[in-house]
C-alpha cells in the first residue's frame, strides 16, 4: 500500500519535531533543568489511579491563579504548552504568524492542522523587525501571532515596545509564550491581560524542573479561555501530573531557588564562552546560551564523541549551537570538551 496517497496534502511535506534520545554523559540539548524535585512526588501515593483525573483541574488552576494573581477563569492547563499551541490553532485557525528563528512547534502545528504559517525574520540583533512584522500583519491579517519572549533559540527577550506595536496592530490574538520568563530579569507581561483585549500568555513548568510532567498554562481573558476550552480533550492533564504540579505551585520558593542557581551559573558560563577563542556567545535571559562557532556541525559531533550533547541548530542558524545551562560540573565538562573541539584542526 502506498501510504503517501492517503495522507492529507499538508502532512506529505510535514517534518515532525525532531526529538530523539541520544545516549550521552552530559545532556545539555533540551533546555531541561538539571535540578529535579523528588520530594514533590510524595502526593502521588494518594492518587486514585482507577479514576479519571479532575477534568477541570480545579486544584491546579486555583494554585496557578493564586501564583499569578489572576482569576481562576483565566487559567487553562494543558499537557505541556505544546498542547495549548495546538488547541489555539484548532480554535482560531490561521494564518499563524511568528518571527524566525523561533520555537519550531508554531510552524509545525500550523502545517499539521492545514493552516497557513507566515514566518518573518528577526532583525540582526534577534529583536522583532517591527517594520516587516507590521507589514506582514497588515498583509496576512493573522488570527494568531506567536511571540516567544525570551525567545528560543536566541535567548533574548523582545523589546516590550515592539511587542506592544504588534499587539496594537493585530486584529487577531497575540500569544506571548513566556516559557523562559522565570530565567529573565523581568516579571513578564501578564499585566497586559488587563490592558489589551487580544493578548494571551503561555507559561510552562517544563523548563523549571518538571519537563516530565507535561504541564503548561494558557493565561488569558475569560472569552479566549472559554473558546479554547471547547476543543480541549476531556482529561488532558493526567492526575499524576496534576498532583505533582500542585505541589510545585505550592512550594514555588524552592523552584525559584533552583532557577536562581541556574541564572548565576548562566552568567559564569557566558563569561567562559566569551573567553574561549573561536566562540561567540549571545546574551541570554533564558536557561540556555546560543553561541557561534566555525563549523558548528563538526563541533557538535566532536562534543558528542566526548559524551556531551548540545543542540545543533541546522541551516536556520548556520554556525550556531545551543547549550542548556547545567550544573556547575556539567558546564565544566562541556567547556573542557568545547575548548578541545574548537582547538582541533579542521574544525575552525
Ligand atoms: C520548550 C518550549 C515550549 C514547550 O513547553 P512544554 O510545556 O514542554 O510543551 C514552549 N515554548 C517554548 C518557546 C519552548 O522553548
Amino acid at each position: 500500500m502506498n501510504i503517501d496517497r492517503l495522507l492529507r496534502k499538508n502532512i506529505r511535506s510535514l517534518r515532525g519535531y525532531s526529538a530523539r534520545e541520544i545516549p550521552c554523559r552530559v545532556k545539555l540539548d533540551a533546555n531541561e533543568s538539571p535540578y529535579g524535585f523528588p520530594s514533590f512526588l510524595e502526593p502521588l501515593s494518594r492518587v486514585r489511579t482507577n479514576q479519571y483525573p479532575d477534568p477541570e483541574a480545579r486544584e491546579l488552576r486555583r494554585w496557578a491563579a493564586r501564583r499569578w494573581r489572576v482569576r481562576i477563569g483565566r487559567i487553562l492547563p494543558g499537557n505541556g504548552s505544546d498542547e495549548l499551541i495546538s488547541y489555539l490553532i484548532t480554535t482560531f485557525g490561521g494564518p499563524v504568524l511568528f518571527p524566525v528563528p523561533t520555537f519550531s512547534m508554531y510552524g509545525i502545528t500550523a502545517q499539521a492542522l492545514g493552516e497557513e504559517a507566515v514566518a518573518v525574520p528577526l532583525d540582526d540583533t534577534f529583536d522583532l523587525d517591527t517594520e516587516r512584522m507590521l507589514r506582514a500583519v497588515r498583509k496576512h491579517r493573522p488570527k494568531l501571532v506567536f511571540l516567544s519572549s525570551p525567545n528560543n533559540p536566541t535567548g533574548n527577550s523582545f523589546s516590550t515596545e515592539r511587542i506592544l506595536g504588534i499587539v496594537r496592530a493585530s486584529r487577531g490574538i497575540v500569544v506571548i509564550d513566556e516559557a523562559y520568563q522565570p530565567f529573565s530579569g523581568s516579571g513578564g507581561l501578564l499585566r497586559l491581560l488587563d490592558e489589551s483585549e487580544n493578548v494571551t500568555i503561555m507559561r510552562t513548568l517544563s523548563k523549571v524542573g518538571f519537563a516530565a510532567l507535561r504541564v503548561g498554562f494558557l493565561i488569558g481573558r475569560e472569552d479566549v479561555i472559554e473558546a479554547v476550552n471547547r476543543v480541549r480533550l476531556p482529561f488532558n492533564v493526567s492526575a499524576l501530573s496534576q498532583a505533582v504540579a500542585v505541589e510545585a505551585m505550592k512550594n514555588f520558593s524552592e523552584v525559584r531557588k533552583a532557577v536562581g542557581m541556574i541564572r548565576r551559573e548562566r552568567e559564569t558560563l557566558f563569561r567562559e564562552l566569551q573567553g574561549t577563542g573561536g566562540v561567540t556567545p549571545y546574551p541570554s535571559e533564558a536557561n540556555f546560551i546560543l553561541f557561534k562557532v566555525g563549523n558548528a556541525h563538526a563541533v557538535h559531533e566532536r562534543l558528542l564523541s566526548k559524551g556531551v550533547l548540545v543542540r545543533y541548530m541546522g541551516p536556520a542558524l548556520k554556525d550556531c549551537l545551543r547549550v542548556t545551562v547545567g550544573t556547575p560540573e556539567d558546564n565544566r565538562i562541556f567547556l573542557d570538551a568545547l575548548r578541545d573541539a574548537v582547538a582541533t584542526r579542521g574544525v575552525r
Side-chain angles (χ1 to χ4, degrees):
M1 185 178 68
N2 177 6
I3 270 284
D4 273 353
R5 108 199 123 79
L6 294 177
L7 290 179
R8 288 161 66 205
K9 257 209 226 89
N10 47 307
I11 307 298
R12 282 185 205 148
S13 65
L14 180 65
R15 291 192 43 212
Y17 185 82
S18 84
R20 47 193 183 115
E21 284 288 326
I22 300 174
C24 59
R25 189 156 60 108
V26 179
K27 186 174 183 317
L28 300 175
D29 67 322
N31 302 343
E32 294 147 329
S33 170
Y35 306 112
F37 295 86
S39 66
F40 291 4
L41 301 182
E42 194 253 327
L44 286 181
S45 58
R46 292 193 297 276
V47 172
R48 299 164 68 126
T49 57
N50 57 316
Q51 296 185 348
Y52 280 107
D54 174 2
E56 295 176 75
R58 276 164 307 180
E59 201 188 358
L60 177 56
R61 281 166 58 227
R62 261 200 301 278
W63 280 98
R66 184 195 282 205
R67 146 126 280 282
W68 291 311
R69 298 197 184 85
V70 297
R71 290 187 287 281
I72 188 167
R74 291 193 160 187
I75 304 256
L76 186 74
N79 192 336
S81 4
D82 288 345
E83 185 186 47
L84 297 168
I85 294 166
S86 175
Y87 286 169
L88 281 162
I89 303 176
T90 303
T91 305
F92 298 105
V96 176
L97 187 139
F98 45 85
V100 279
T102 193
F103 186 48
S104 60
M105 286 309 290
Y106 312 139
I108 291 173
T109 309
Q111 185 178 347
L113 295 173
E115 300 291 345
E116 184 190 357
V118 181
V120 179
L122 291 168
D123 73 12
D124 51 16
T125 66
F126 293 147
D127 202 348
L128 296 167
D129 186 332
T130 304
E131 206 172 298
R132 289 179 85 160
M133 286 291 282
L134 293 183
R135 211 180 311 133
V137 166
R138 282 191 296 267
K139 178 170 174 206
H140 298 277
R141 303 186 163 275
K143 293 276 195 65
L144 287 163
V145 179
F146 283 96
L147 304 176
S148 161
S149 186
N151 185 41
N152 178 7
T154 56
N156 58 303
S157 294
F158 299 140
S159 109
T160 304
E161 260 323 296
R162 294 186 189 192
I163 292 176
L164 287 175
I166 288 156
V167 168
R168 279 191 293 265
S170 299
R171 304 292 300 279
I173 290 173
V174 178
V175 182
I176 306 175
D177 182 347
E178 296 190 327
Y180 299 98
Q181 177 278 331
F183 303 99
S184 76
S186 123
L189 293 175
L190 274 172
R191 65 181 164 82
L192 292 186
L193 290 185
D194 288 318
E195 296 167 19
S196 309
E197 286 190 324
N198 58 333
V199 166
T200 294
I201 306 283
M202 276 199 309
R203 295 276 178 98
T204 180
L205 290 180
S206 293
K207 310 294 152 71
V208 294
F210 304 93
L213 303 187
R214 312 299 301 123
V215 172
F217 300 91
L218 199 63
I219 313 166
R221 294 166 83 100
E222 284 81 349
D223 53 355
V224 171
I225 297 295
E226 190 276 323
V228 176
N229 197 38
R230 291 183 211 172
V231 309
R232 182 174 64 87
L233 298 178
F235 306 100
N236 61 320
V237 182
S238 87
L240 300 164
S241 293
Q242 288 188 36
V244 181
V246 164
E247 207 61 16
M249 287 296 185
K250 279 187 187 169
N251 301 286
F252 212 76
S253 56
E254 279 187 57
V255 176
R256 224 182 267 118
K257 264 188 238 158
V259 166
M261 291 199 282
I262 293 165
R263 286 180 59 175
R264 285 191 291 280
E265 195 55 30
R266 175 185 70 204
E267 298 316 307
T268 308
L269 181 58
F270 184 79
R271 281 193 303 273
E272 294 284 337
L273 285 169
Q274 259 187 331
T276 301
V279 174
T280 312
Y282 294 96
S284 169
E285 297 202 60
N287 68 338
F288 57 83
I289 296 176
L290 184 76
F291 61 95
K292 218 172 171 161
V293 276
N295 203 346
H297 191 262
V299 172
H300 180 258
E301 293 301 302
R302 276 200 68 85
L303 287 173
L304 198 51
S305 75
K306 294 169 192 292
V308 177
L309 182 59
V310 300
R311 182 79 178 212
Y312 175 60
M313 300 314 305
L317 277 168
K318 195 163 84 51
D319 303 333
C320 284
L321 297 173
R322 189 194 69 192
V323 62
T324 305
V325 180
T327 62
E329 193 193 344
D330 291 341
N331 302 337
R332 177 56 47 206
I333 295 170
F334 157 70
L335 283 165
D336 287 346
L338 178 68
R339 283 171 185 147
D340 227 63
V342 292
T344 304
R345 218 145 39 116
V347 162
R348 262 169 87 177

